[in-house]
Every structure is written in C-alpha cells, then in structure tokens.
Amino acid sequence: MGSNTPAVSMRNITKTFGTIVANDDVSLDIYKGEILSLLGENGSGKTTLMNMLSGIYFPDSGQISINGQPVTIASPREAFDHGIGMIHQHFKLVDVFTAAENIVLGLKEEGRLDLTRAGERIRKICDTYGFDVDPKQKIYNMSVSQKQTVEIVKVLYRGADILILDEPTAVLTPQETDKLFAVLRNMKKDGKTVVIITHKLHEVEAISDRVVVLRKGRYIGEMKTSETNAQEMTNMMVGREVALNIDRPAPVDPRPRIRVENLTVRSSDNVLKLDDVTFTAKAGEILGIAGISGCGQKELLEAIAGLQPVQSGSIRYINDDGTEENLVGKDPLKIADMGVSLSFVPEDRLGMGLVGSMDLTDNMMLRSFRSGKGIFTDRKTPRKLAEKVVEELEVNTPGVSTPVRRLSGGNVQKVLVGREIAASPTVLLSAYAVRGLDINSSYTIYELLNQQKKEGVAVVYVGEDLDVLLELCDRILVLCSGRVSGIVDGASADKNQVGMMMTRLGGGASDE
Amino acid sequence: MFDIVSFIPRAIMQGIPLLFGCTGETISEKSGSLNLGIPGVMYVGGICGVIGAFLYEQSAGGNVNGFLAVLIPLLACLIGSLLMGLLFSLLTITLRVNQNVVGLAMTTFGVGVGNFFGGSLIKLTGSDVPSIALSATSKYFSKGLPFGGSGAFSKMFLSYGFLAYVAVIIAFVTAYILKRTRVGLQLRAVGENPATADAAGINITKYKYLATCIGCMVAGLGGLYYVMDYASGVWSNDAFGDRGWLAIALVIFTLWRPNIAVFASFLFGGLYILYLFIPTGGDMAVKELYKMLPYLVTIIVLIFTGMRNKRENQPPESLGLPYFREDR
C-alpha cells in the first residue's frame, strides 16, 4: 500500500446483460501488495466486475488502468499479459487432464510441450508459497481444496501479480480455509496483490487490509478493515439495519421422530459411505449435520428419504401415538406421503429437485402432479403455490412462468425450499440450503427453518458453515468418513472442537 | 482353407474408408463437435472426386497425365468436404444450432447431392448400366508401391494405392498431435471444457472451426478412396452404403484414439467381408447372417463402452454442446 498509484484502477465501469444492469458506474482502486476484500450480496455484481478485469466480460463503458496506463482487456490472455489472474468460483479445470496439463494449458511457450520441465517449475512455486500439488495427478482424483490449489498455482505459473479469488472458501473446511489464508499472506509478503470476493464477514476481518462494498451493481463505499466492524459492513452490504444473530428458539416439547440405528450404506461401486450410524432426530428441533464434503451426509439424507439402498440397520419413523414404522425398503413415494420431505441443494443447485428449463409453476407441479383428476393435471393449485412462494420468500423473478434456470442461485434455492415446506412435512431434510446465498437470503431461509421447527417439524440441516450450524442447530451430529464422530449440543459446542471431529473420529470429547 | 493372403488386403481396403471417416470424426469430436454429418461428408467427398475426375478425363481425351489425374479429383474432394465442414461449423459454432439436427440434415443432404450429381453424370455418359466408370483416373489411385513384388508380404502390405498409406499416416500423426503437442492439448481442452479453455486464452471458435473442417476433409478422403481405389473408379448411386455410420461407431469403439482406429478399422473391414471367405456352400441365408457381423459387433461394442467407467475413456465432456462465453 506504499505507493500512491494504484496497481489497478477501474473508472466508471458499467456492464449490462440484456435489461439487467450488473455493474453501474463502479470505480475502484487496487493497490500493490494489499489484500482487498470485495464484499456484497449475491447479484451485487462483484464477480461481474472482476470478470471484466480478467477478460471474461468486456465493459460497456468505463476505463481500466494498470499502473496508471489505460488498457483494454479483451480476453483472458490479455489479462494474463497484464499480470492479472483470476481463480473462479467454479473451477476452470479440465477433469481428465493432470495438474501439470491444466497449468500449462493455453500458454505460448517456446519449443515442444515439455510436461516434465513444467512439473519442476510447479514444484518450485509450491515450495515458495507452501502448496502441495502433484503435477501428475488427474483433476478428477482431487479434493476440492486440491483443485483450488491447482487453480492458484496455474495463475502464479503465468507470473500473475494480481490474484483475484472468487469466493475461495465456499467449499473449504475451516482448517483448509486457514491453510489458504496462510498462503495468501505469504503471497502478500512476496509483493503480490490479492483481491478476494466474499460475502463472509469474518473472512473479510481475518484476511483483508481493505474492504470495498458493492450493492446491486453499485459501489457503496470502502474502508480499512481495521477501522470497521461486522455490523457496519453488513448494513452497507444490505442497505439497511440487519440483525446478525440467528434465532434459536428453545425446542418445544421435542419428541423422537426418526430413529436411525446402526445404519450402513454402500455406494453402487461398493464403497462404504455410512458405517454403523445411530442417532435420533426429534420433532420440534433442528438437528445439524456437520462434516467435510463426501463424508456421507448426502447418503444419510437419501437413505432416510428412501432414495439410497440400505445395507443394514434400521430407520424408524415414530408416529405421534408412539407407533413405529420402518422406512428401510419403503418406496420413496410412500415415505414422502408420510411427511418426510427432502430438499437437497446440490453444488449445481438444479441437479436434484428442480428442472431448469421448466417454469416455477411446473416445478411446483413436480410434487403435486399425481393429485390431478383423471388424465389431466391440475395447474391452478401449483400456480397459486408458486405465486405464494414468490411473494412470501421474496423471490426475485419476472413471473411464475419464467424458467427456473434464468433465476439467480439464491432465488432458485428459495423456490426449492419453499416448495418443500409447502408440502407441510413432518420431517424436513435440507442439505446446503444456503449454499452460495448472501446474508439476506440466508437469513430468510434460517427463518423458514426456525418456523418449521416451531410448528413441530423435525428439521435435519446439513450445512457447510460451522458458525451457522453452531448458531442455528439444537444438536449437531458430526460425521467423519461415514461414521458418527459425535453428537454435540449446539449452544455449548466449540467451533474448533467440531472442526477436529470432522477430520478425526471422536476428535475431542462428545456429550450425549 | 481360409485364404489369409487374399483376405487381409480385402479387409484393409474395406477398412480404409472407415479409417478416414473415423479419424476425421475423432478430430471433430475432440473439439466438441459431434458431426453426425460424416456419412454425408464422405459421400460428398466421393462425388466431388468423381466430378473432378470426370471433367478431367473429358478434357484430357486419350492422354491422361498421372499427376493431374490424381491432383484434380483430390482437390475437388477436399474442397467439397471443406464446404460441408464450413456449413456444419457455421450452423453449429457461429449460429449455435443443435449439432444432432444439423448433422443428420447434412447426411441426408450429402447423400442427396451425391446421388443427384452421380445420376446426372451417368445420364451424361449415356451408359447402359446405372454407373459411371473412371478407369483411366482410378488406375493412378490404385497403383501399389513401386518396390512391391508379388510375394505374400508384398500382397498384404505393399499393394495398396497411396491413399491407403495416407490414411494410416494421418491416423498416427493425429494420435501423436492429440497426445503429445500443445495444439493437441488445447484442442482436447476445447472439447472437454470450453469455458476453461477460454479462460486460459484459447480461441475456442478458431479451434472448433479448424478441427471440424479438417475433420471433414479427412473424412471426405474416405469417400474418394472408396470410389477411386476400392471401387476401381466406378460410381453408382448409394453404393457407398452405411460406411459413414460405421466410421462414427468406430470412433466410440476406439475410445477417440486414431492409433487404435488403424487396427479397429481393419478389423471392421475384415468383418465386413468375412462372409465371402467362409465357405457356406449354397446356403445364401447363412451368408446374409455373416453380413450382419459388423453391425452386431458395433452393438456389442456400444454395450461394453456403456459399461466402462474410466474417465479417460469417456467422450469429450462438452461433446455436442454449443459454447457461448457470456451465456449465464
């Protein structure tokens, strides 16, 4: 931050997509050797703005200057020439290539393609900043965090001085996040400039020197991180006062609703996904499930919903009168009729639950199409439901006849969760309901979950953000490679302890 | 007794058009373009060669120059198939029309064009049989290697026209380029994940256009080889048959590897003509059953490829999908 000329300076940038204004007259400076946070809700134009810096999009109007010189960045290659490299939220890696192949992809080096030499250079970069990458490993064999490392190395390999990271921590465990931040600090020491796009306030506070806030495509303001606080940043981001606490009403009369005993599940290629899992989900409480990705959360929810064949163990549904029914081996339709509702938000958001090219009404019908009379479907009820969901959850859509694919991620999730809740379930299984959502939408979803809890629904919440799990859930079941690492009390558990339990069985002490 | 010395050359000659088609389609598919128009392209390649040869033979009269007799049909064939490639590219890459629809339409179109011009030429020559013979030109196409003798080895490996060797060389060179060079790496990236390739600064449109057009030109040579060498310069409508579709099936069978395609195409060629070499007596029904072999093998192969799980053996990930950078 020593010099006075900004390394990058963006002036009056405007970008529109059709009728949507993604960025409106945004001006922004980035100084050499600093870590800058770009903060904003979903759809506030953070990514679009940075995409223009990395050559993916081209601004409609405005001027970008690098080290004081006006430049045009028409393509990603030109961005590299200016030393700008971006690590996208959805990794830009070719799955069937090795790390080295991905890293050299698109480079115009002299001579033949020499992957051995490239491998040596990659190792050198890794040693400098403390990464761990095997140049010969295929991408599809890598964990999310390894893939991200490859992305960062790729950018450094091209000699980038300015790194832009788009929500880098969205997919990482707390431990992996710490490791990433350590690497970013190393880079800063090395004189590199880092821009990190995020909507997580504690990360802004943990890593950045300066923070710039965008809202609805407009520049709102900037400040030194040391001189601001979470409340102020949130208010700027949302545009009004927002309470930052998640409600956790005390469970009213919790009764056991689902009892899972010794559940063991193997995937189709015979990999052990769940191993001897036992727990109880109670009506009127939120049971959180924590674990790193791929540790069996998905299989667990699917087993309860009847979508996943069970090898051994039992899943019992306990009726209000105390009678029990085994869900194992039951048809998913029957289980759904009993009031078990699954809303699973996969990474691509549309994969399960919603059909992207169908409109809101039709997507509502996916649940109710059987209830029509005769051979004709009933379109009126789902249409009303769609309108209700749009209104109550403040879904931002041109209308209920818009294909779901056209909505932004947060709105898609609201539609999905709204539909599942409308089925008035007795058990609500929700996975990653707030994945990629901004603060405002996330709180709407938490509010919805809490409402269900108050109405006596047994809510099972699989989440990625430990802070949220700890604030929202009454109890947290921690999974570690398919086994129960422990069940902790949401109010008294400690974040580090849960983090340890996620990576190591037992981790620390467990209660219950 | 099974006559291997005459079986092998027939199998290879049967396989060469498939090899051209398969290599061409592989190049195209590696860039993400699923060109189902290949049968049509090969057909057009064939008829363009025929037109070129016909016009040359007409104008040259009795004294046919060997060099021109090869060059003119070759150029005509390449230009014809290039035009087909450009049409496919324009529609699917620039205008982003569905590749399957365009491909199928192009196959119908190509066969139609071939039959139209084929029929016209046959009318022009006023021949009694529904075919046109260009034996003067064909002679140069089917000439074996100069140092070939008459032994069994020569018969099996040195007796083919130059296009057969060109097919094998193109296949191996393509395999090398795809696996070992920067261009190949980038081409594969375009077919696997164009957004990634784009972010890496690769010109997607250029790669897709070039790969599709070069692929079509290579496939078109298959049609030329078929008429000029395999069929000894005799063109009759629809004689080319379903070789184009077999070539596309071969792409899947060979896991998108042209070097494997060299052997696979010979295998298919062998299956194609096996019925001629297996003594069946006078039982025609059995012969017809043997004729089914290539198709049967194709179906079995498709079943097996469907069961395979290794990621490297899957089709290019974005095969058949259009790419538009600012698509949201």
Side-chain angles (χ1 to χ4, degrees), chain A residues 446-473:
Chain A
Y446 301 146
E447 199 43 52
L448 282 169
L449 294 178
N450 269 330
Q451 223 174 309
Q452 294 298 305
K453 168 182 165 182
K454 278 185 222 157
E455 283 167 21
V457 175
V459 181
V460 178
Y461 175 85
V462 176
E464 290 165 310
D465 192 334
L466 272 187
D467 294 304
V468 171
L469 275 169
L470 289 170
E471 278 190 68
L472 177 71
C473 303

Side-chain angles (χ1 to χ4, degrees), chain B residues 57-174:
Chain B
E57 276 192 18
Q58 293 279 306
S59 64
N63 43 4
V64 172
N65 174 317
F67 180 68
L68 285 177
V70 168
L71 187 71
I72 290 173
L74 193 64
L75 278 181
C77 159
L78 288 177
I79 291 170
S81 32
L82 172 65
L83 287 176
M84 290 291 275
L86 281 174
L87 177 68
F88 184 85
S89 306
L90 176 76
L91 288 171
T92 62
I93 303 168
T94 307
L95 302 174
R96 296 196 293 274
V97 183
N98 182 304
Q99 291 182 8
N100 296 336
V101 175
V102 174
L104 292 174
M106 270 182 52
T107 290
T108 319
F109 171 72
V111 172
V113 165
N115 285 346
F116 172 74
F117 283 104
S120 309
L121 288 183
I122 292 165
K123 271 261 166 64
L124 280 179
T125 53
S127 88
D128 305 329
V129 283
S131 63
I132 174 169
L134 301 157
S135 39
T137 324
S138 161
K139 204 174 68 197
Y140 293 100
F141 273 96
S142 50
K143 209 176 209 161
L145 292 187
F147 42 85
S150 56
F153 179 82
S154 290
K155 242 181 147 180
M156 281 194 290
F157 298 104
L158 304 173
S159 63
Y160 311 103
F162 75 96
L163 275 177
Y165 301 100
V166 169
V168 175
I169 292 167
I170 290 181
F172 280 121
V173 168
T174 307

Side-chain angles (χ1 to χ4, degrees), chain A residues 206-496:
Chain A
I207 185 92
S208 66
D209 302 310
R210 219 155 51 88
V211 50
V212 169
V213 184
L214 294 185
R215 183 171 76 230
K216 291 188 176 150
R218 285 168 181 279
Y219 170 90
I220 298 300
E222 63 175 79
M223 51 245 161
K224 284 199 168 144
T225 313
S226 52
E227 292 165 8
T228 182
N229 56 49
Q231 189 65 51
E232 187 189 4
M233 286 191 280
T234 312
N235 294 349
M236 281 174 80
M237 194 159 86
V238 182
R240 55 184 154 84
E241 292 275 333
V242 173
L244 267 186
N245 300 322
I246 306 174
D247 248 8
R248 177 161 44 199
V252 184
D253 180 28
R255 274 162 298 131
R257 172 79 1 130
I258 295 263
R259 184 175 294 138
V260 174
E261 270 165 0
N262 311 98
L263 184 68
T264 300
V265 167
R266 278 178 194 278
S267 66
S268 52
D269 41 357
N270 212 27
V271 176
L272 193 64
K273 285 293 184 185
L274 289 175
D275 185 9
D276 200 19
V277 170
T278 300
F279 70 93
T280 309
K282 294 178 188 156
E285 100 173 352
I286 299 183
L287 174 70
I289 294 180
I292 55 175
S293 59
C295 71
Q297 311 99 314
K298 180 172 173 237
E299 285 76 13
L300 179 59
L301 295 198
E302 287 186 357
I304 297 175
L307 299 172
Q308 178 85 34
V310 170
Q311 197 187 6
S312 63
S314 69
I315 304 169
R316 286 178 191 287
Y317 180 88
I318 302 160
N319 288 314
D320 285 334
D321 53 16
T323 55
E324 296 186 5
E325 271 177 272
N326 196 348
L327 295 185
V328 175
K330 269 218 167 70
D331 182 40
L333 254 181
K334 261 196 198 126
I335 296 179
D337 282 346
M338 289 167 71
V340 178
S341 160
L342 173 67
S343 77
F344 187 85
V345 182
E347 256 165 275
D348 56 2
R349 286 183 180 143
L350 286 174
M352 274 172 84
L354 296 176
V355 180
S357 52
M358 288 181 9
D359 68 19
L360 267 64
T361 308
D362 287 352
N363 270 298
M364 296 296 162
M365 273 176 75
L366 287 181
R367 263 220 170 275
S368 65
F369 67 94
R370 280 182 213 88
S371 55
K373 282 198 189 89
I375 58 166
F376 298 104
T377 48
D378 170 20
R379 287 187 63 89
K380 272 190 201 133
T381 328
R383 193 182 169 84
K384 271 190 205 126
L385 175 60
E387 279 162 359
K388 198 179 125 203
V389 168
V390 168
E391 199 192 300
E392 285 183 4
L393 303 191
E394 296 168 18
V395 179
N396 190 0
T397 166
V400 290
S401 325
T402 310
V404 170
R405 178 167 43 87
R406 295 246 182 88
L407 305 184
S408 80
N411 290 310
V412 170
Q413 264 149 277
K414 284 185 198 168
V415 171
L416 178 61
V417 176
R419 185 188 72 192
E420 295 307 317
I421 289 173
S424 55
T426 53
V427 178
L428 180 63
L429 307 168
S430 103
Y432 313 118
V434 298
R435 181 176 247 156
L437 288 194
D438 55 60
I439 292 204
N440 218 5
S441 315
S442 301
Y443 276 70
T444 316
I445 303 267
Y446 301 146
E447 199 43 52
L448 282 169
L449 294 178
N450 269 330
Q451 223 174 309
Q452 294 298 305
K453 168 182 165 182
K454 278 185 222 157
E455 283 167 21
V457 175
V459 181
V460 178
Y461 175 85
V462 176
E464 290 165 310
D465 192 334
L466 272 187
D467 294 304
V468 171
L469 275 169
L470 289 170
E471 278 190 68
L472 177 71
C473 303
D474 300 301
R475 287 183 307 143
I476 300 169
L477 170 76
V478 188
L479 285 177
C480 172
S481 23
R483 306 190 60 159
V484 178
S485 191
I487 297 177
V488 296
D489 183 54
S492 63
D494 165 68
K495 186 181 170 191
N496 279 330

